[in-house]
Amino acid sequence: DSINNGADDDGSGTVGVVELAEAFSRSGARPRRSIIFLTVSGEEKGLWGSRYFTEHLPVPLDHVVADLNIDMIGRNWPDTIVAIGKEHSDLGTTLERVNAAHRELGMTVIDDPWPDERFYFRSDHYNFARKGVPVLFFFSGVHQDYHRVTDSPDKINSEKESRILGLIFYLGQEIANSPKRPAWKPESY
């Protein structure tokens, strides 16, 4: 057919947000800080949804301590996830600490291997960063099915995605239960 199913871009991220919301709602999993689970549209039209949200926040901006963006996490390397933006705030250090504490997930977190593609500026976390909110963007990179009808569910590595979501869950717990807010590195302002 001619329908772009979008299983990885961005069905994988959308399913991830729903799974994380379910995980955080379980007894004993609710953190000290509130968490907003958000999916937006219009990313490829100019980050429309995230721009609207950050301009019409349901809470004061100073209550938003971090943004964890998930986009295309179901393909490519089986044990690696890219965390774009980790060099700009202490969220990178927190992520490394959380990942080291959960070796059972078997995930390797790497820096952006494609800086010339400017992914940092092309996804929804960027509107949060522009408002001064520390961000991390979890991304597995593009592939031959990117924006094609062949981006189908049978190609998603659900086991890998599950481990990435486990890492993001533990990271979210760390951020939301910490008495200290994440902070930008001074040179990244």
Side-chain angles (χ1 to χ4, degrees):
D1 62 36
S2 62
I3 296 171
N4 287 7
N5 297 304
D8 195 30
D9 185 21
D10 186 34
S12 62
T14 302
V15 167
V17 171
V18 173
E19 289 292 324
L20 287 166
E22 181 182 345
F24 276 100
S25 72
R26 292 190 180 134
S27 178
R30 290 186 177 206
R32 202 183 74 151
R33 288 190 174 96
S34 297
I35 299 177
I36 295 173
F37 298 92
L38 174 70
T39 60
V40 295
S41 60
E43 178 208 41
E44 292 169 358
K45 296 287 186 183
L47 309 178
W48 288 352
S50 60
R51 183 177 59 213
Y52 182 87
F53 184 82
T54 57
E55 291 174 359
H56 301 89
L57 289 167
V59 297
L61 179 60
D62 66 349
H63 286 54
V64 181
V65 302
D67 175 61
L68 304 179
N69 185 20
I70 309 166
D71 192 348
M72 296 179 64
I73 59 168
R75 301 275 299 265
N76 296 337
W77 322 286
D79 300 316
T80 301
I81 186 66
V82 177
I84 294 175
K86 68 184 190 123
E87 70 277 14
H88 295 300
S89 73
D90 62 4
L91 283 175
T93 304
T94 303
L95 173 60
E96 290 168 6
R97 185 175 63 251
V98 168
N99 194 35
H102 292 281
R103 293 281 181 217
E104 74 278 7
L105 297 172
M107 291 307 305
T108 299
V109 179
I110 63 171
D111 294 332
D112 182 358
W114 319 281
D116 293 341
E117 293 289 328
R118 299 177 47 81
F119 288 121
Y120 183 84
F121 305 96
R122 292 173 42 191
S123 196
D124 292 302
H125 62 279
Y126 185 62
N127 280 316
F128 289 87
R130 290 178 54 212
K131 297 278 186 177
V133 176
V135 300
L136 285 177
F137 172 28
F138 294 90
F139 180 57
S140 290
V142 298
H143 41 72
Q144 67 274 10
D145 301 309
Y146 182 59
H147 291 173
R148 292 188 164 52
V149 298
T150 54
D151 186 7
S152 56
D154 60 301
K155 296 177 181 171
I156 297 296
N157 182 340
S158 57
E159 192 273 334
K160 171 195 174 179
E161 183 166 343
S162 174
R163 290 182 292 120
I164 292 168
L165 294 173
L167 177 61
I168 296 169
F169 173 79
Y170 292 125
L171 176 63
Q173 286 281 347
E174 178 76 18
I175 295 166
N177 285 318
S178 176
K180 185 178 171 225
R181 300 169 57 106
W184 285 101
K185 293 183 178 175
E187 63 274 12
S188 291
Y189 277 105

